[in-house]
Amino acid sequence: MNKRFPEGFLWGGSTAANQVEGAYNEGGRGLATSDFARLVDAETRKREGGFEEREPHNAATKGMLADMKAHPEHWEFPKRRGIDFYHTYKEDIALFAEMGFKVFRMSISWSRILPNGDDEIPNEEGLQFYDDVFDELHRYGIEPLVTLSHFDTPLHLAEEYGGFLSRHTVKAFEHYARIVLNRYKEKVRYWLTFNEINNVLSNPFTSSGLIFDGPVNPLGQNSYIGHWQEKFQAVHNQFVASALAVKACHEIAPDAKIGNMLCRLENYAESARPEDQLQVLFEDHFNWFFTDVQAKGEYPYYMKRFFDENHIHINMEEDDMDNIREGKVDFITISYYMTYIMRYKGDTVPKPTGRLVSDLKNPYLPKSEWGWTVDPIGFRITLNHIYDRYHLPIFISENGLGAVDHVEEDGRIIDDYRIDYLRQHVEQLHEAIEDGVDVFGYAWWGPIDLVSSGTSEMYKRYGMIYVDLDDHGSGTGKRSRKKSFFYYKKVIASNGADLENDIAY
Ligand code: BGP
């Protein structure tokens, strides 16, 4: 069947400032939590007894942070160098344009605009950098879609205020959001508030800016599980901050649209046992919860029991719920990578699992080298679930495959596995659109190789554009086109109608 995507469908790619920009101490930028994300490569995992096939998060505890500051020579922080996009953005955007991108999803580094996160006066050099990036995108007719906060809270706010545990950070975020909305209102039509806001449940070092002391697992990381009181309080404060940004956007740039960003976790029951299905329901609630609040403007009924039985008390200010109600998002965005298997855990009330990669394997699905299942049909299922629940337009802000690439002697990278992944997901996306789901764009995660969020590796590559840099920053940094570059270019040129992998490369 010939695939038909809606006219004007926004094909493109997605990145985050902390994974591409580098230049962490240039242009007046202040430190961010992501500058302390250490490299957790295969060697580290082996040395420290890492979990096989489970991705560890390179988060730092307070104790680690102190050591990282005192002895930076003991650590490797690949996000500090990224892929040097701060200096190469023109070359990189030209390559995106060559692929035919209509949209580029990126984030602004908060600490580039406000070095401490809460400065009154913004850093003009930081503001100018994004002006230049947006101008470059517009030169090629590429629409920027901009995340306000993608896993890089200013360090000062994280250390001094506990990140979003404090209302101070909410105020600082609103101030920051207003500055960039005002500055870029003529250049940016699509905004997102917090990247994968739900990831606070599986990784303490996200946009929440929370840094905990122990307990730490053998990898020297925070426990994935627990700290519910702090996490849900920080999340509540982020809901308020997000709603204030939505309201500010509607006021400052009435023609712009602003959305949420959920790491969508689609769950299957391990068996037809009703208990397993109940576990799916529990897990689903911990995923829907975030979008329920951001899209429906109220706390869903099912959280009350979880909060009560776990003695979680959310401190709210008087106008919080009004703001949340008035600050509903205009559209939904998700990242979609994999699906999960659920087995009943014996609880009568839900408890979040707190893991990014499931312990249980789905025998029907292949998985990536990092243990992430590949499930294109799950993509269609999840899109239907989301649309059914919210009836809002959907943008796919992330989907992609992290893989090890092999460079041939002649310099080519024949990444048919990436092409297969893309083709299968675009096929299912098309099915979802045919089902009636309103999807207006698709951004491939990491169209150019970048530093991994979870492990800070370069070795885990997502790109259609190869970047000659290894985990330790060695290499020329040179960009080259993989086979998938030409495939995606063809997909975009045909507006998704031609998905055949017949690329001569
Ligand atoms: C999402 C993040 C991205 C990104 C992606 C892939 O969770 O929003 O920042 O990196 O996952 O994850 P990783 O880089 O760990 O492979």
Side-chain angles (χ1 to χ4, degrees):
M1 185 177 61
N2 212 12
K3 312 268 175 283
R4 270 181 302 120
F5 279 78
E7 190 123 338
F9 190 77
L10 294 174
W11 297 97
S14 174
T15 61
N18 76 90
Q19 292 169 261
V20 296
E21 282 180 10
Y24 82 105
N25 55 2
E26 286 179 50
R29 179 184 179 281
L31 289 174
T33 50
S34 51
D35 298 327
F36 295 87
R38 65 173 183 144
L39 174 66
V40 182
D41 57 3
E43 231 168 79
T44 318
R45 288 194 284 270
K46 213 153 94 200
R47 195 173 57 237
E48 300 183 2
F51 312 111
E52 205 194 324
E53 294 188 335
R54 177 177 304 144
E55 185 192 45
H57 277 92
N58 47 12
T61 60
K62 282 183 190 162
M64 286 165 79
L65 257 182
D67 190 63
M68 285 166 167
K69 284 182 163 173
H71 301 286
E73 69 281 4
H74 294 167
W75 304 84
E76 263 195 84
F77 302 117
K79 287 176 185 164
R80 294 185 179 193
R81 55 179 174 259
I83 55 163
D84 201 28
F85 181 81
Y86 187 73
H87 297 111
T88 60
Y89 69 91
K90 284 193 181 161
E91 182 194 339
D92 296 338
I93 290 170
L95 288 165
F96 300 152
E98 192 182 323
M99 271 193 280
F101 278 19
K102 315 282 180 231
V103 69
F104 179 53
R105 186 242 176 177
M106 52 176 279
S107 72
I108 293 178
S109 152
W110 182 350
S111 56
R112 220 176 256 300
I113 307 300
L114 302 171
N116 294 299
D118 56 0
D119 315 67
E120 195 46 43
I121 310 289
N123 167 33
E124 179 55 32
E125 228 180 316
L127 286 168
Q128 188 58 48
F129 170 65
Y130 295 105
D131 262 320
D132 295 344
V133 171
F134 298 145
D135 289 346
E136 197 65 16
L137 290 167
H138 285 304
R139 248 163 49 84
Y140 296 102
I142 301 174
E143 196 78 59
L145 187 145
V146 180
T147 314
L148 288 168
S149 170
H150 190 134
F151 296 177
D152 57 357
T153 308
L155 189 68
H156 167 75
L157 295 177
E159 283 196 307
E160 299 301 317
Y161 295 94
F164 277 93
L165 260 186
S166 161
R167 300 296 292 214
H168 177 80
T169 304
V170 176
K171 285 202 188 80
F173 181 80
E174 188 190 3
H175 177 58
Y176 155 66
R178 285 183 173 274
I179 289 170
V180 294
L181 285 161
N182 268 307
R183 175 81 170 213
Y184 306 124
K185 58 176 182 249
E186 311 293 339
K187 299 184 183 179
V188 179
R189 292 200 298 160
Y190 297 101
W191 295 91
L192 306 182
T193 58
F194 292 101
N195 183 63
E196 294 187 339
I197 187 168
N198 55 311
N199 264 11
V200 69
L201 299 186
S202 59
N203 174 11
F205 215 8
T206 58
S207 310
S208 63
L210 293 176
I211 305 171
F212 294 113
D213 276 324
V216 275
N217 68 21
L219 285 168
Q221 304 147 349
N222 299 124
S223 168
Y224 291 88
I225 308 171
H227 300 292
W228 301 133
Q229 172 63 43
E230 292 92 337
K231 286 182 179 179
F232 282 97
Q233 182 63 57
V235 164
H236 172 76
N237 293 345
Q238 280 185 277
F239 286 149
V240 175
S242 170
L244 291 171
V246 170
K247 286 174 69 172
C249 178
H250 291 161
E251 171 199 318
I252 296 166
D255 293 334
K257 302 267 180 246
I258 182 161
N260 73 327
M261 193 329 193
L262 177 78
C263 177
R264 176 63 190 141
L265 311 177
E266 185 69 38
N267 300 300
Y268 303 144
E270 188 187 35
S271 76
R273 268 203 319 161
E275 287 86 348
D276 290 344
Q277 193 56 46
L278 185 65
Q279 193 67 41
V280 170
L281 180 78
F282 289 168
E283 287 294 325
D284 267 354
H285 281 166
F286 287 112
N287 196 242
W288 292 131
F289 163 57
F290 296 86
T291 307
D292 282 354
V293 176
Q294 290 186 293
K296 295 181 173 177
E298 57 189 32
Y299 269 65
Y301 73 91
Y302 51 81
M303 291 307 280
K304 188 175 180 314
R305 184 170 183 187
F306 168 74
F307 287 154
D308 287 352
E309 299 199 13
N310 289 286
H311 312 289
I312 295 167
H313 177 74
I314 308 290
N315 284 312
M316 295 196 190
E317 291 189 1
E318 221 181 289
D319 54 356
D320 278 3
M321 288 318 298
D322 289 337
N323 281 323
I324 286 175
R325 216 175 354 261
E326 291 159 13
K328 292 195 283 275
V329 291
D330 303 317
F331 62 102
I332 307 285
T333 90
I334 58 157
S335 60
Y336 175 82
Y337 290 95
M338 56 187 147
T339 51
Y340 297 81
I341 297 286
M342 289 299 143
R343 181 189 295 159
Y344 185 53
K345 293 204 208 94
D347 303 317
T348 48
V349 286
K351 286 200 181 71
T353 312
R355 294 218 183 281
L356 187 63
V357 178
S358 172
D359 294 330
L360 303 172
K361 307 273 168 278
N362 187 328
Y364 304 101
L365 296 176
K367 49 187 180 351
S368 81
E369 292 177 60
W370 277 261
W372 296 24
T373 54
V374 176
D375 185 2
I377 293 178
F379 194 25
R380 175 182 180 182
I381 295 170
T382 222
L383 286 168
N384 273 276
H385 282 163
I386 294 167
Y387 194 57
D388 191 26
R389 198 172 181 102
Y390 303 110
H391 281 276
L392 283 172
I394 299 170
F395 180 86
I396 313 303
S397 45
E398 292 182 25
N399 174 235
L401 175 72
V404 180
D405 286 335
H406 174 73
V407 185
E408 307 285 320
E409 264 173 29
D410 60 6
R412 288 179 307 159
I413 297 114
I414 305 169
D415 55 343
D416 284 314
Y417 37 90
R418 191 168 285 112
I419 293 175
D420 284 347
Y421 184 102
L422 174 61
R423 180 179 46 74
Q424 291 166 3
H425 283 78
V426 170
E427 270 167 10
Q428 294 303 320
L429 172 60
H430 177 257
E431 291 298 336
I433 291 172
E434 291 287 297
D435 292 338
V437 179
D438 180 4
V439 184
F440 67 97
Y442 172 87
W444 176 265
W445 171 256
I448 183 165
D449 291 342
L450 39 69
V451 177
S452 154
S453 169
T455 65
S456 289
E457 291 168 290
M458 275 301 293
Y459 185 61
K460 185 181 191 185
R461 293 177 185 272
Y462 285 85
M464 290 134 175
I465 300 163
Y466 188 82
V467 177
D468 179 29
L469 281 178
D470 70 12
D471 286 349
H472 310 288
S474 303
T476 59
K478 184 174 168 285
R479 276 59 170 153
S480 46
R481 297 163 184 81
K482 303 182 194 178
K483 187 176 175 187
S484 55
F485 180 97
F486 299 98
Y487 178 75
Y488 197 29
K489 180 177 178 179
K490 184 178 84 154
V491 171
I492 297 175
S494 68
N495 195 21
D498 183 0
L499 299 182
E500 198 155 337
N501 180 6
D502 54 1
I503 303 297
Y505 173 67

